[in-house]
Amino acid sequence: MAQVKVGVIGCGVISEIYLKNCQTFGMDVVVCADIDLERARSRAAQFGVPKACSVDELLSDPEVEIVINLTIPNAHADIARRALLAGKHVHSEKPLALNTEEGKALVQLAISRGLRIGAAPDTFLGSHLQTARKVLDDGWIGRPIAATAFMMSHGPERWHPNPDFFYQPGGGPMFDMGPYYLTALVHLLGPVRQLTGIAQTTFAERVITGPNRFGERIPVSTPTHVTGLLQFEQGAVGTIVTSFDVWHSELPRIEIYGTEGTLSVPDPNYFGGALRVRRQGAEEWTEVAPLFGFSENRRGLAVADMADAVKTGRPHRANGELALHVLEIMEGIHVSSTSGRHYEMTTRCERPMPWPVGFDEDGVRLSFFH
């Protein structure tokens, strides 16, 4: 089959790993675009992409079939909408949009035009989270009854060259890191029916300690410590805490508690890591051997999956319904905190189809995702 041709919009920090992995998976990236044309040219030269241009030029290029949207969060929805209107499938960095209504409009636009839309993260397609899904589905810990998820840090101003957007609407620990944890939970346990949230903003401004803007102060206009209680459709209850206000923590990343044991899942921001299980009566934890490939950083895997889905007509895994449901969970937690009430979800999604056991990078290159 002919390769699906891909264009990248947004050539900042995260674009490097996407472009590297697009080449690893054999995708045909034909153009890079950015509001800073020199940045687009630099990335194109780095990876041998034949064309660098403005965003408008990329969107009008008839050769481009899938747009990888790597812009900052408050531009995600606009670029995705423009790509869809231009007749192109689109995969965005997380979050899908800044709010649920924007997200719903994008998903409906894609459906109305017969196009695909999806969003990061695709770490749930990695080795440890796919193995965790297999362990749960095979009943190793019985029926899941509860889950916890914790992302505790002191913010990206310590390392990111331009961290301003992390502290604006669409940023904060929930919108920045929550997608990894919530996508993992929905992948493992299914959709959320109802939730409650409490959020706070601890510091009015942040001090950048990265080398190029050291000492510069930036204002904070979004909550930086966010707690959510989740009621999953299948009956389990979940707790998620995301924070940019915590200096140190020993809390686990994700744990799933079942009627017959506990599953410990490593950091969902990564594709690999040690998965452990401890069944009832066991005296110690047992590490579960990975049943799938993709343990290295494979950001862009969802784009390859979308490309194959476009060719074969099957559903893609990191789809718009999943991204929209996660977006509403995040917004709902903030709305619940502001209103002091439970939040009833208006969206739902199916759990994405897992990989076949043993699927790895060789399968991608040789046969893609059948």
Side-chain angles (χ1 to χ4, degrees):
M1 296 182 187
Q3 288 180 305
V4 175
K5 296 187 182 297
V6 176
V8 174
I9 297 179
C11 295
V13 174
I14 197 65
S15 67
E16 184 169 19
I17 190 63
Y18 270 88
L19 286 161
K20 176 183 176 182
N21 287 331
C22 282
Q23 292 183 343
T24 297
F25 297 141
M27 287 186 285
D28 189 10
V29 181
V30 296
V31 57
C32 291
D34 196 284
I35 56 173
D36 181 343
L37 188 53
E38 285 305 312
R39 188 159 56 185
R41 287 171 176 157
S42 176
R43 277 287 188 253
Q46 181 182 358
F47 289 96
V49 177
K51 180 180 177 182
C53 63
S54 70
V55 172
D56 287 342
E57 287 177 282
L58 184 150
L59 291 174
S60 63
D61 188 334
E63 192 175 28
V64 175
E65 298 170 83
I66 294 179
V67 169
I68 303 177
N69 177 13
L70 305 180
T71 55
I72 61 175
N74 64 11
H76 285 176
D78 179 60
I79 293 297
R81 178 184 59 80
R82 291 170 62 191
L84 292 169
L85 290 173
K88 304 180 189 307
H89 311 287
V90 60
H91 175 88
S92 292
E93 249 304 320
K94 44 78 185 171
L96 177 66
L98 294 188
N99 59 67
T100 305
E101 290 309 307
E102 279 187 345
K104 286 181 178 178
L106 288 174
V107 172
Q108 287 303 312
L109 178 61
I111 292 171
S112 71
R113 291 183 168 252
L115 295 167
R116 305 297 184 106
I117 188 169
D122 51 9
T123 48
F124 76 93
L125 301 175
S127 173
H128 68 306
L129 281 167
Q130 287 290 310
T131 301
R133 170 73 174 268
K134 178 67 172 169
V135 166
L136 282 179
D137 288 355
D138 286 356
W140 284 26
I141 65 167
R143 177 175 57 85
I145 57 174
T148 55
F150 299 100
M151 195 297 297
M152 317 296 270
S153 79
H154 210 270
E157 70 273 17
R158 295 172 298 161
W159 57 269
H160 198 281
N162 294 294
D164 310 65
F165 70 90
F166 289 104
Y167 295 101
Q168 298 169 1
M174 182 57 75
F175 273 77
D176 178 48
M177 295 301 294
Y180 296 105
Y181 290 77
L182 290 168
T183 302
L185 289 175
V186 173
H187 161 68
L188 295 173
L189 299 175
V192 170
R193 178 175 61 83
Q194 167 181 273
L195 57 83
T196 302
I198 297 178
Q200 68 180 32
T201 304
T202 304
F203 305 101
E205 61 182 15
R206 296 283 179 141
V207 179
I208 297 175
T209 56
N212 63 328
R213 295 174 60 188
F214 184 85
E216 185 177 337
R217 294 179 179 272
I218 55 176
V220 176
S221 56
T222 194
T224 53
H225 189 96
V226 185
T227 300
L229 301 176
L230 312 175
Q231 177 73 64
F232 291 89
E233 281 188 7
Q234 50 85 287
V237 295
T239 303
I240 181 170
V241 182
T242 63
S243 183
F244 283 165
D245 298 340
V246 173
W247 285 111
H248 308 288
S249 172
E250 292 184 338
L251 289 166
R253 297 297 187 170
I254 293 178
E255 289 185 344
I256 310 292
Y257 311 108
T259 54
E260 298 177 25
T262 298
L263 182 65
S264 177
V265 182
D267 192 341
N269 188 22
Y270 299 96
F271 283 77
L275 182 74
R276 300 183 302 147
V277 66
R278 187 168 178 178
R279 291 167 57 84
Q280 60 175 341
E283 295 184 359
E284 59 185 20
W285 293 88
T286 300
E287 187 168 328
V288 182
L291 301 174
F292 308 86
F294 313 113
S295 60
E296 302 299 322
N297 187 344
R298 289 292 182 251
R299 281 169 169 80
L301 180 55
V303 184
D305 183 48
M306 178 187 283
D308 183 68
V310 168
K311 293 189 297 181
T312 60
R314 63 165 176 81
H316 59 290
R317 290 170 171 85
N319 56 63
E321 288 78 9
L322 173 62
L324 175 59
H325 190 65
V326 168
L327 173 61
E328 188 182 16
I329 295 171
M330 296 190 297
E331 184 182 26
I333 289 171
H334 289 81
V335 169
S336 173
S337 177
T338 302
S339 68
R341 298 176 180 272
H342 290 303
Y343 180 92
E344 298 287 338
M345 294 289 292
T346 65
T347 65
R348 72 178 309 279
C349 65
E350 300 297 332
R351 292 199 300 165
M353 183 182 297
W355 298 134
V357 172
F359 195 69
D360 61 14
E361 279 87 344
D362 286 336
V364 177
R365 285 189 288 266
L366 295 176
S367 62
F368 260 46
F369 302 94
H370 301 302

